[in-house]
Amino acid sequence: MSGIHLSKEFFELLKAIGESKSKQEEDRIIQREVVTLKRKLESLPKAGNGKSPGSYSGKPKQNKALASKKKAKEFLVRLLYVEMLGHDGSFGYIKAVELAAAQSIAHKRTGYLVCGACLPPSHEFRFMLVNQMQRDLSSSNLLEVTAAVLAVTRIITGDMVPAISGQLEKLLQHDSELVRKKAIVAFHRFHQIAPEAVSRTTLVDKLRKTLCDRDPSVMAACLNVVQSMASHDATPFKDLIPSLISILKQVIEHRLPTDYDYHRIPAPWVQMKLVRILGILGSNDAQASNGIYEILSDCMKKADTGINAGYAVVYECVRTITAIYPNPTLLDAAADAISRFISSKSQNLKYLGVTGLAAIVETHPQYAATHQLAVIECLEDRDETLQRKTLDLLYRMTNPVNVEFITAKLLDFLRSTTDLYLKKDLTLKICRVAERYAPSNTWYVTTITDLFGISGDLVEASVAQNLMSLIAEGTGDDDAENEAADMELRREAVEIYASLLDKPLAKLPRILLETMAWCLGEYGYLSVTHSLEDILAKLCTVARLGKTKLTSSTRKFLMEAIFKLVAQAGTCPPHAALVIDDYTKSRDVDLQQRCLEFQSLLTSAAHMLGYVLPVDASCEDVDVDIHMTFLNGYVSEALSNGARQYSKPEEEDDDEDYAAASGLSHSAFKMTPYEKPQTPSSFPSHSLRGMGSAGSGASNLPPGVTPPPGGTDPYGSLGGGSADVSSHHAASSGASGEPTLQLRNVANVWGKGGLSQPAAAPEPPAPSYGAHPAPASASHYGASPSPWATQAAPPPEPEKPRELTEKERMAAALFGGMVPGAPAPTPFARPPAPPSVPPPTPPAAAAPPVPVAAPPMPVAAPPAPEIDLLDMGFSSDPTPPAPVDTSTEDIFASTPMVPTQLSAPPEPPAPPPAAAPPVALDPFASMAEVSDAPLASLSGAPVKLEYNGSVLSPLSSMTTAQFGAKWGPCPHTSPITVQSPNLVLTLETCKKAGLAVVETISATQEGICAGELSSETVLIHAKWTSPTAANLTVKSTDATVGGRVALHLQSQFR
């Protein structure tokens, strides 16, 4: 044991701890050790210089004291093991304080170590060490000074800083570099725990001086403090960029002593620290970044020597390049380095490559296109660590095009992993991706349902609530097309959840089972593959089997679903009645009461089931009668029978009694509540409906869907609300005499995706102004083709594309939407849907009469025309149309009303005779200003970008100086390359997309534009670089807004 300086007892303790098989066995070992340490520490002599009676002086006494301190040192180390394993060692704290005052450096450092590791921050023994640390900081012994400087960083609290800071400041000028580099770190610690004693300005001044220290080790220690402070506020260190660049240049040129080299790389840790600091200082600062570009390029070239230390420096340079203001040359160099990393055979270098690609793909997604197959290989690698980092890369690469492929990969990995932390992280990422980029509502329902089945209770409850709201509300529009789409979504959800009822109960997590019960209870009648009775029977089986296994909330969801299905079916099957009767004896009082109330409805008021549990009424507004007028009859009858009138008790106010007794005025506080705002009475309360509701009557259902027999409203108060609202609104508007929007003969151009732009009409052939003029509208609006139109030559047959391999198809699905100009990938294959069975034919009923439009009554011509703001120019009048302005204008903008005299409706012209000679005169001579181009409202005008309910709008008032001031602070950059023949067309396209052109520089072929989206500033710099392409740099104060604008511009240039 002497070779490792351990006593036999200490060695046996370490051996016993290492060989313990359980926590209980380890606790027993430590408890025996605590008893042993208490006995031995009490037997040690007290510290001090006094002589005890009968003691001998001389060398034997010194040897005995030295032996006792050696034992005390070992006992304190054993005490550290006791504390580390979670047991109380406070009985030995006083011995640690005594040992910190020893003359021996080894004993002193042991005492400081135990005090710093074991003493709580508020322990009074810390104050006993202040004097000892002051003496050691002023000592002439270098080892004592270094031990004290290390101890102050762990022992000193905020109250002790003023007593030590003065001496520590002097040590910044100490002769030894060991003391100086430890002192600057301790000074930073003082600023962290007591900023009022060591201010930020004082510390920054000390750092500037220490950064110029003559010893490289002191400078390197100072860099850690600079990085820590610059990460919180980089402004005080901006002027240090030239100095840091000079230091980094000296390091890479081998001007430091060779002692700092590591495998022929000069001071790699100093290089990495300097590169990180430059990345922090150059972030979102174009001026600061300009001076960093050159040194980063040199550092990458000289560090790329093929050894691991050099790879570490190159990786830090890649991270800094992605953090500072972008430079195309450096980005290309970073992409080359990532390419070498990710294609390497070393797993460590692949990990660096995937991490670097994840850093660069957020702001510059086009650089990921060249690594498609490499990313697929990393995703299929056996190394789980590399797979996890690749999954994080996929999450950062997600866009609306590749969301299906990436989500499928994340779900596959989630099924195979058993790591709880990873499952939580992947579950959160899948929820975010699905909510943000869902291509359709059906895909979202399917994906979240799969996630419920895999992750179970790891999914937040808000996700299930959002899913139920989506199924219930749908698109939120009440037109026939959207209503049919909503009902189809509900039907597909019912089919999915009904098929899951066949699974064992153990494989249905709580959150999935509750969502299934709600959906089937609300819309079970929509299923075409499962009858209402089958769904009800399966739910009763689940409720019966889960009576003791399921949670209280899940049982309530199941019973509510059974109640609704019974009401929809109009009858209660025996198995449902048995389950309901069984749950009337439940220990859950709330569930028991619900079952008893439903039994009472069944037995005494079965005709009320359709009113109490209406069909598809989850989003209906509930009218609450706060005055409870339905009790007026009962109250009147009770009063007539001699009951006493209710009188509201008077509230006793102690404050008023005190004020009256003291002769003071009333309290200054106003206890009277504010008056409730008056609600407008334009709409009757019974005709309002919840947002997105499908209504409750059968008239709201799409064709082919039969309402359940028991789900009709016997009182007729749950349907037909929209008609009442519209008619009442029209009546009130007409009665008030206020101007109203005329919507006659106007198609509904708004859909669930925003404004539905009509497809651009094909350009008509140039009209022949000879003897046979064609009608102006014949070539535009679907009339028979003109016999004089020139037939275009058939297009050449395209070449057959090469068949892609499996990995190439996966890469195309993964990187879809990231590369400008790349073809869209094929849709991701979904599992086949269950065969659609036509719904059962509803019972024969009298068809409602088809309304026939009444013939128009003759109306006298008004003095001024009634102008239709949404008129599209369709007219059957053969007279020449008025001149049309083909400039791009907002068709919804206000138009000045010019009064004109309406002419009488023209009679239909007689057909011309067959042998009539051609007219020599040009009948269109008076229409020289009329263009044959399609109207602006019917052309393929660019769609304005919408996000969070706002539209991309131009910042027309922004000047070039304001643009330059906002360009630097914008943190998020999205560069893209678009196809454009010249700069003028590039800026014109940006203007049509919703941006304002701030300035055009023809000499350099550059231009700048500005806009605003969702209260976030969007800045565009365009530079025409080749005869067919232009580079656009999109900057924004929000990363999501910048990315959406970049994708929007790419779509406009295609």
Side-chain angles (χ1 to χ4, degrees):
M1 298 303 112
S2 61
I4 55 177
H5 305 288
L6 294 179
S7 65
K8 183 179 180 180
E9 293 180 356
F10 195 8
F11 180 80
E12 293 295 336
L13 173 65
L14 297 180
K15 183 179 179 181
I17 292 175
E19 293 177 353
S20 59
K21 302 299 183 181
S22 64
K23 177 63 177 173
Q24 291 77 12
E25 183 181 355
E26 180 186 276
D27 291 341
R28 288 194 294 269
I29 295 171
I30 296 300
Q31 288 171 2
R32 289 196 300 268
E33 180 65 19
V34 167
V35 175
T36 304
L37 287 178
K38 284 182 178 180
R39 184 179 67 253
K40 293 192 174 184
L41 286 175
E42 290 175 358
S43 64
L44 291 176
K46 300 292 182 180
N49 296 325
K51 296 181 179 180
S52 58
S55 62
Y56 297 94
S57 60
K59 191 172 182 179
K61 179 183 176 182
Q62 294 178 358
N63 292 339
K64 186 176 181 181
L66 184 61
S68 65
K69 288 185 177 179
K70 184 177 181 181
K71 290 182 180 179
K73 174 187 173 184
E74 181 179 311
F75 293 158
L76 290 180
V77 175
R78 290 159 69 174
L79 185 70
L80 271 179
Y81 276 87
V82 172
E83 289 274 343
M84 285 190 299
L85 294 176
H87 294 262
D88 182 27
S90 58
F91 57 88
Y93 291 169
I94 187 62
K95 292 297 180 182
V97 175
E98 293 175 0
L99 203 62
Q103 297 296 322
S104 172
I105 294 298
H107 297 159
K108 181 185 292 292
R109 295 182 66 180
T110 303
Y112 279 143
L113 173 65
V114 176
C115 291
C118 300
L119 288 180
S122 59
H123 204 282
E124 61 271 12
F125 284 178
R126 287 179 179 259
F127 294 93
M128 299 172 62
L129 295 168
V130 174
N131 290 335
Q132 183 60 42
M133 286 188 291
Q134 286 177 336
R135 285 194 296 269
D136 291 340
L137 289 174
S138 304
S139 174
S140 58
N141 189 338
L142 177 62
L143 297 178
E144 290 183 352
V145 175
T146 55
V149 174
L150 289 175
V152 297
T153 59
R154 298 189 299 268
I155 298 176
I156 292 297
T157 60
D159 299 335
M160 308 176 193
V161 169
I164 304 293
S165 59
Q167 291 177 298
L168 190 64
E169 188 173 356
K170 295 177 182 178
L171 294 180
L172 295 174
Q173 308 298 328
H174 199 274
D175 296 335
S176 174
E177 67 278 0
L178 291 175
V179 177
R180 294 199 302 273
K181 68 181 182 181
K182 288 176 171 54
I184 190 62
V185 176
F187 213 69
H188 180 225
R189 175 61 179 166
F190 282 6
H191 170 69
Q192 289 177 333
I193 61 177
E196 68 280 355
V198 179
S199 63
R200 185 179 183 87
T201 306
T202 303
L203 181 57
V204 170
D205 292 340
K206 302 299 180 185
L207 289 175
R208 292 176 181 271
K209 295 177 182 178
T210 310
L211 198 60
C212 303
D213 196 278
R214 60 185 179 273
D215 190 273
S217 63
V218 182
M219 177 271 299
C222 179
L223 293 178
N224 295 289
V225 184
V226 172
Q227 180 187 359
S228 177
M229 298 192 66
S231 60
H232 293 88
D233 184 12
T235 305
F237 302 98
K238 290 284 187 179
D239 57 342
L240 289 179
I241 292 179
S243 301
L244 296 172
I245 292 175
S246 176
I247 295 173
L248 181 56
K249 189 174 183 180
Q250 295 178 47
V251 172
I252 64 178
E253 291 177 355
H254 293 269
R255 295 189 185 181
L256 266 63
T258 55
D259 296 340
Y260 292 91
D261 291 356
Y262 181 80
H263 290 274
R264 303 187 306 277
I265 298 295
W269 286 274
V270 176
Q271 289 191 53
M272 289 187 285
K273 191 66 67 176
L274 286 167
V275 170
R276 288 177 194 153
I277 296 173
L278 291 176
I280 295 173
L281 300 181
S283 178
N284 304 325
D285 191 339
Q287 184 177 0
S289 300
N290 286 331
I292 304 175
Y293 295 151
E294 183 179 357
I295 192 63
L296 281 179
S297 178
D298 295 342
C299 188
M300 285 187 67
K301 291 177 182 178
K302 295 187 178 182
D304 194 3
T305 57
I307 60 177
N308 289 337
Y311 290 146
V313 176
V314 172
Y315 171 70
E316 289 297 335
C317 291
V318 169
R319 292 188 58 186
T320 301
I321 289 171
T322 59
I324 63 176
Y325 189 80
N327 178 269
T329 305
L330 285 180
L331 287 172
D332 292 340
D336 292 340
I338 290 174
S339 178
R340 292 196 300 273
F341 288 159
I342 206 169
S343 59
S344 173
K345 296 182 180 180
S346 172
Q347 296 293 94
N348 294 332
L349 293 183
K350 282 186 177 180
Y351 187 89
L352 284 184
V354 172
T355 308
L357 191 60
I360 200 174
V361 78
E362 288 187 355
T363 53
H364 308 87
Q366 68 272 19
Y367 288 100
T370 57
H371 310 298
Q372 300 180 14
L373 298 180
V375 172
I376 297 298
E377 291 177 358
C378 292
L379 191 62
E380 298 174 352
D381 198 279
R382 294 182 179 180
D383 188 350
E384 187 175 354
T385 306
L386 185 59
Q387 280 187 341
R388 292 186 183 186
K389 185 54 69 174
T390 309
L391 290 173
D392 182 67
L393 170 63
L394 296 185
Y395 170 70
R396 297 169 185 264
M397 290 168 51
T398 308
N399 58 50
V401 178
N402 59 15
V403 61
E404 297 183 53
F405 176 81
I406 290 180
T407 306
K409 287 297 179 183
L410 293 177
L411 287 172
D412 290 341
F413 196 84
L414 186 60
R415 289 188 184 95
S416 61
T417 186
T418 57
D419 188 348
L420 183 60
Y421 173 78
L422 181 61
K423 291 189 75 170
K424 289 181 179 179
D425 184 54
L426 286 179
T427 299
L428 182 60
K429 288 180 178 179
I430 292 173
C431 290
R432 290 176 178 173
V433 166
E435 290 181 359
R436 186 173 182 181
Y437 300 111
S440 66
N441 290 340
T442 303
W443 179 88
Y444 179 79
V445 172
T446 305
T447 302
I448 297 300
T449 302
D450 293 342
L451 184 64
F452 286 165
I454 299 171
S455 298
D457 293 339
L458 296 179
V459 186
E460 296 180 358
S462 60
V463 179
Q465 183 63 35
N466 293 339
L467 179 62
M468 296 179 194
S469 300
L470 174 66
I471 296 174
E473 299 178 3
T475 59
D477 297 333
D478 293 335
D479 60 313
E481 180 182 356
N482 290 327
E483 182 61 27
D486 294 343
M487 295 303 291
E488 180 64 20
L489 171 66
R490 294 163 188 155
R491 188 193 65 78
E492 293 178 357
V494 168
E495 301 292 358
I496 293 173
Y497 293 140
S499 62
L500 291 178
L501 287 175
D502 297 328
K503 284 189 173 183
L505 187 61
K507 294 186 178 181
L508 295 175
R510 178 189 60 83
I511 191 170
L512 176 58
L513 195 54
E514 292 179 357
T515 306
M516 290 167 52
W518 177 88
C519 184
L520 294 175
E522 291 288 338
Y523 306 106
Y525 62 91
L526 294 176
S527 175
V528 294
T529 59
H530 299 79
S531 64
L532 204 63
E533 291 75 13
D534 292 342
I535 297 175
L536 181 58
K538 292 180 180 180
L539 283 176
C540 291
T541 303
V542 174
R544 187 176 63 255
L545 295 177
K547 185 176 181 181
T548 58
K549 301 177 182 179
L550 300 177
T551 62
S552 176
S553 64
T554 307
R555 293 198 299 268
K556 292 176 184 176
F557 269 96
L558 287 171
M559 295 310 298
E560 288 292 337
I562 292 173
F563 297 163
K564 293 176 183 177
L565 291 178
V566 168
Q568 293 171 14
T571 180
C572 184
H575 50 268
L578 183 63
V579 171
I580 295 171
D581 183 67
D582 196 15
Y583 271 93
T584 55
K585 308 175 185 64
S586 174
R587 294 182 180 179
D588 189 338
V589 179
D590 181 36
L591 181 58
Q592 181 187 95
Q593 181 180 355
R594 296 186 188 193
C595 293
L596 290 172
E597 290 176 354
F598 188 76
Q599 273 189 342
S600 300
L601 278 174
L602 280 176
T603 56
S604 60
H607 63 282
M608 293 285 293
L609 287 177
Y611 180 74
V612 176
L613 298 170
V615 178
D616 191 14
S618 59
C619 294
E620 294 292 333
D621 292 337
V622 178
D623 296 332
V624 179
D625 187 1
I626 60 175
H627 300 292
M628 295 186 289
T629 55
F630 56 89
L631 294 176
N632 290 343
Y634 174 80
V635 172
S636 301
E637 182 180 356
L639 291 176
S640 61
N641 293 334
R644 187 173 60 177
Q645 179 75 33
Y646 172 77
S647 59
K648 186 177 180 181
E650 298 181 359
E651 298 180 358
E652 298 182 0
D653 196 339
D654 296 339
D655 295 336
E656 294 181 0
D657 297 341
Y658 172 77
S662 306
L664 301 176
S665 60
H666 60 83
S667 173
F669 292 98
K670 301 295 185 182
M671 308 304 293
T672 305
Y674 291 109
E675 293 183 0
K676 185 177 180 181
Q678 298 295 328
T679 56
S681 58
S682 300
F683 301 98
S685 60
H686 63 82
S687 63
L688 298 181
R689 291 294 176 263
M691 183 177 64
S693 172
S696 302
S699 60
N700 290 329
L701 298 178
V705 177
T706 307
T712 57
D713 183 4
Y715 295 97
S717 61
L718 301 177
S722 59
D724 295 341
V725 172
S726 59
S727 61
H728 183 84
H729 179 59
S732 60
S733 301
S736 62
E738 298 179 357
T740 58
L741 182 63
Q742 302 296 329
L743 297 177
R744 295 180 298 100
N745 302 328
V746 178
N748 185 12
V749 297
W750 290 96
K752 53 186 175 182
L755 181 62
S756 302
Q757 297 289 347
E763 186 174 353
S768 174
Y769 296 110
H772 303 281
S777 60
S779 61
H780 283 280
Y781 305 119
S784 58
S786 173
W788 300 280
T790 306
Q791 299 295 332
E797 294 185 1
E799 297 182 1
K800 263 193 173 180
R802 179 179 61 87
E803 187 174 355
L804 301 178
T805 63
E806 180 65 25
K807 284 190 177 180
E808 289 175 338
R809 285 195 295 270
M810 293 175 65
L814 171 60
F815 289 83
M818 301 188 65
V819 186
T826 57
F828 186 70
R830 294 193 185 94
S836 178
V837 181
T841 306
V850 179
V852 180
M857 300 296 293
V859 181
E866 185 179 7
I867 297 179
D868 191 349
L869 298 180
L870 300 179
D871 186 21
M872 297 298 181
F874 296 93
S875 176
S876 59
D877 191 354
T879 57
V884 179
D885 187 4
T886 59
S887 59
T888 303
E889 292 182 0
D890 187 0
I891 62 173
F892 297 99
S894 59
T895 308
M897 296 186 178
V898 181
T900 56
Q901 185 68 27
L902 280 180
S903 58
E907 297 179 359
V919 182
L921 297 177
D922 185 4
F924 298 93
S926 61
M927 300 175 59
E929 297 179 358
V930 176
S931 171
D932 60 341
L935 295 177
S937 59
L938 298 177
S939 63
V943 181
K944 295 296 181 66
L945 174 63
E946 293 188 12
Y947 177 66
N948 283 344
S950 63
V951 182
L952 178 62
S953 57
L955 290 177
S956 305
S957 60
M958 180 173 288
T959 62
T960 305
Q962 294 173 344
F963 184 97
K966 290 181 176 291
W967 180 265
C970 283
H972 304 288
T973 306
S974 301
I976 58 174
T977 302
V978 298
Q979 302 297 322
S980 180
N982 53 58
L983 178 63
V984 176
L985 184 58
T986 302
L987 297 180
E988 186 65 22
T989 306
C990 292
K991 184 177 179 181
K992 291 179 180 179
L995 300 165
V997 179
V998 180
E999 186 179 10
T1000 304
I1001 308 174
S1002 303
T1004 58
Q1005 292 295 308
E1006 294 178 89
I1008 55 178
C1009 306
E1012 186 177 25
L1013 178 61
S1014 187
S1015 302
E1016 302 290 343
T1017 303
V1018 180
L1019 306 177
I1020 312 292
H1021 173 265
K1023 184 174 179 62
W1024 190 57
T1025 55
S1026 67
T1028 59
N1031 293 332
L1032 301 184
T1033 303
V1034 183
K1035 295 198 70 173
S1036 176
T1037 52
D1038 182 79
T1040 304
V1041 171
R1044 287 180 177 270
V1045 173
L1047 291 174
H1048 178 61
L1049 289 176
Q1050 284 182 344
S1051 64
Q1052 296 301 313
F1053 279 95
R1054 288 172 183 168

